[in-house]
């Protein structure tokens, strides 16, 4: 963060970092080559698996691919439901 | 057996395949190798024009495949190097008018007579691509250091790995000034992303455009920087261990400060 700021200040940092990062992310998707059907199946399996243990909002499950720390990774977000007061 | 069949591919169009094929063909011929270049871009032929051989075409690739003439009748000999020939594409036919099997047979036949068969691949990953790679045992992949060409190059690497294996990469139109300002992906960025062996870097050079005007590719121009880059690539194709200089401009003050304090 601080370093990005210093670079901005001196106008040294161009846009190539952004290019590289966006490429790395899009290539995670491209290389997996998942179809819409396969993505749906993955989402469904994840929903079912988590729901067996904790109560989540099935509509809110999000699957993202990203490239962090030089590694491709899949990130799954599932909003946990508050237990209803009984 | 016989010669080496090398296809020049890219995925994304307009990144320099035809220019590279012409320069590598001439460069290898300069080194006394017997070379034939096949224009694989049926319907959009250009290699003849870039080579300055457009006025001498009688027969083309599809005439050979259809048995209208012998291969040697269709080959155009380069006046500059008698050991260099071009097999032109047809301008009126389509990529679908020839099959991968026919290309494989033709390439095999040419390999018996030539040290190098260079195949200029059309843009895209459809039939024209499948035809061009069918007879090749090696692939050269051209990209420019921009997001779309690199993405398409990655797709082509995946396809090549299923048949020929890893291609060797040429990064074309590198602009050292932009790399210096971090406005352009540099050599290590592209290599980190694509993870294939590097064959060479060709700088952005207006001489390439001038060479296109006259049909005398830059590899013949002793003073041109891109010509020098192609001559070095030719040496590497011939198995010589020629170092690849990084075209990074001079590393600026802020970058050095960053390395010192932040390690990047
Ligand atoms: N190193 C370079 N410096 C400057 N211009 C270049 C360089 N390399 C290629 N060009 C220019 O880029 C353009 C496209 O080159 P070329 O026709 O070789 O690409 P291509 O990949 O064969 O295109 P296509 O996919 O349409 O077959 C040409 O106008 C050429 O002059
Ligand atoms: Mg071309």
């Amino acid at each position: 963060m601080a370093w990005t700021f210093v670079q901005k200040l001196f106008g040294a940092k161009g846009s190539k970092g952004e290019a590289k990062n966006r490429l790395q992310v899009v290539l995670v998707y491209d290389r997996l080559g998942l179809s819409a059907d396969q993505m749906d199946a993955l989402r469904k399996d994840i929903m079912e698996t988590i729901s067996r243990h904790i109560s989540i909002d099935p509509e809110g499950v999000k699957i993202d691919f990203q490239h962090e720390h030089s590694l491709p990774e899949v990130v799954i977000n599932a909003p946990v439901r508050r237990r209803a007061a009984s | 057996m016989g010669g080496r069949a090398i296809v020049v591919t890219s995925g994304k169009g307009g990144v320099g395949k035809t220019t590279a094929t012409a320069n590598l063909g001439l460069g290898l011929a300069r080194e006394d190798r017997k070379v034939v270049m096949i224009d694989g871009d049926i319907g959009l032929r250009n290699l003849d024009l870039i080579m300055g051989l457009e006025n001498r075409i009688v027969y083309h690739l599809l005439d050979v495949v259809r048995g209208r003439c012998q291969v040697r009748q269709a080959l155009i000999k380069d006046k500059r190097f008698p050991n260099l020939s071009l097999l032109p594409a047809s301008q009126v036919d389509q990529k679908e008018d020839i099959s991968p099997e026919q290309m494989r047979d033709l390439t095999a036949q040419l390999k018996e007579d030539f040290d190098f068969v260079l195949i200029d691949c059309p843009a895209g990953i459809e039939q024209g691509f499948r035809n061009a790679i069918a007879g090749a045992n090696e692939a050269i992949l051209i990209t420019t250091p921009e997001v779309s060409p690199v993405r398409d190059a990655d797709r082509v690497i995946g396809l090549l790995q299923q048949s020929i294996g890893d291609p060797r990469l040429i990064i074309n139109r590198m602009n050292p000034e932009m790399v210096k300002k971090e406005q352009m992906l540099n050599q290590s960025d592209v290599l980190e992303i694509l993870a294939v062996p590097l064959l060479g870097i060709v700088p952005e050079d207006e001489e390439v455009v001038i060479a296109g005007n006259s049909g005398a590719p830059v590899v013949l121009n002793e003073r041109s920087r891109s010509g020098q880059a192609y001559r070095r690539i030719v040496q590497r194709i011939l198995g010589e261990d020629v170092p690849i200089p990084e075209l990074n401009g001079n590393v600026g003050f802020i970058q050095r400060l960053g390395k010192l304090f932040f390690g990047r």
Side-chain angles (χ1 to χ4, degrees):
Chain A
M1 267 313 254
W3 177 232
T4 313
F5 177 73
V6 175
Q7 285 177 312
K8 281 238 168 71
L9 201 67
F10 288 91
K13 178 108 171 178
S15 47
K16 76 119 182 185
E18 202 183 346
K20 187 175 178 183
N21 193 253
R22 290 177 57 226
L23 264 170
Q24 284 172 322
V25 173
V26 80
L27 288 180
V28 178
Y29 284 91
D30 285 3
R31 286 172 184 167
L32 285 170
L34 290 176
S35 67
D37 283 351
Q38 287 171 309
M39 275 302 286
D40 284 347
L42 174 63
R43 189 188 317 278
K44 191 165 158 280
D45 282 354
I46 285 170
M47 254 162 45
E48 286 174 2
T49 307
I50 300 179
S51 300
R52 242 178 275 140
H53 305 276
I54 42 186
S55 173
I56 55 167
D57 172 12
E59 298 302 309
V61 172
K62 263 179 56 195
I63 303 174
D64 284 304
F65 295 96
Q66 61 183 40
H67 198 280
E68 297 286 329
H69 320 109
S70 305
L71 282 176
E73 44 191 39
V74 58
V75 180
I76 291 151
N77 270 285
V80 178
R81 269 196 186 131
R82 249 214 224 172
R83 202 191 308 161
S86 52
Chain B
M1 265 310 288
R4 291 162 64 181
I6 309 178
V7 63
V8 181
T9 63
S10 70
K12 178 90 180 154
V15 298
K17 295 177 292 297
T18 302
T19 306
T21 308
N23 280 293
L24 298 180
L26 276 163
L28 287 163
R30 263 170 47 112
E31 299 292 329
D32 297 324
R33 301 309 196 279
K34 266 193 97 180
V35 183
V36 59
M37 300 172 293
I38 304 180
D39 188 341
D41 206 345
I42 295 166
L44 289 171
R45 79 173 172 217
N46 276 318
L47 190 51
D48 54 331
L49 201 55
I50 295 302
M51 289 293 298
L53 300 174
E54 71 277 12
N55 290 327
R56 302 179 36 213
I57 297 178
V58 182
Y59 296 110
H60 52 66
L61 178 55
L62 278 183
D63 291 327
V64 177
V65 168
R66 289 171 178 150
R68 289 210 192 111
C69 69
Q70 299 291 311
V71 189
R72 57 181 168 71
Q73 291 177 286
L75 293 181
I76 305 170
K77 270 209 165 94
D78 191 296
K79 286 194 228 80
R80 294 160 288 203
F81 297 96
N83 49 328
L84 175 64
S85 303
L86 168 71
L87 180 54
S90 142
Q91 185 70 326
V92 293
D93 295 283
Q94 290 170 8
K95 317 267 191 267
E96 292 74 24
D97 293 334
I98 179 170
S99 70
E101 291 70 34
Q102 287 169 320
M103 273 300 282
R104 197 174 303 139
D105 292 346
L106 179 68
T107 314
Q109 188 184 344
L110 288 168
K111 271 164 56 178
E112 287 173 18
D113 289 331
F114 291 89
D115 300 321
F116 286 92
V117 181
L118 299 184
I119 306 151
D120 180 18
C121 184
I125 50 173
E126 296 81 22
Q127 170 117 23
F129 169 79
R130 287 196 296 275
N131 286 340
I133 69 168
N137 350 80
E138 300 171 43
I140 291 175
L141 179 65
I142 316 278
T143 189
T144 55
E146 294 172 79
V147 288
S148 304
V150 171
R151 181 191 194 174
D152 293 357
D154 189 80
R155 180 93 170 85
V156 167
I157 290 171
L159 294 171
L160 288 172
Q161 282 169 341
Q162 296 168 18
S163 47
I164 300 177
D166 264 351
R168 292 201 279 172
L169 185 71
I170 294 179
I171 308 176
N172 189 26
R173 308 192 73 158
M174 191 68 105
N175 181 328
E177 278 306 306
M178 290 186 74
V179 167
K180 185 173 155 188
K181 293 187 203 144
E182 300 206 353
Q183 288 166 337
M184 181 178 262
L185 296 168
N186 65 28
Q187 169 179 332
S188 20
D189 295 329
V190 177
L191 288 179
E192 183 187 333
I193 294 168
L194 294 178
V196 288
L198 182 66
L199 183 58
I201 314 261
V202 180
E204 170 80 23
D205 184 2
E206 56 188 29
E207 294 283 349
V208 173
V209 180
I210 298 169
N213 294 338
S214 52
V218 284
V219 74
L220 301 173
N221 178 346
E222 294 301 327
R223 290 186 326 274
S224 126
R225 293 192 320 126
S226 55
Q228 188 189 13
Y230 276 117
R231 288 192 292 277
R232 297 169 74 98
I233 291 172
V234 165
Q235 300 302 322
R236 288 183 206 111
I237 292 175
L238 293 175
E240 283 167 48
D241 188 13
V242 185
I244 302 178
E246 278 221 31
L247 295 180
N248 282 355
N250 308 318
V251 178
F253 170 69
I254 295 296
Q255 278 91 343
R256 264 182 314 201
L257 204 68
K259 279 225 162 56
L260 205 61
F261 291 109
F262 299 87
R264 57 172 149 162

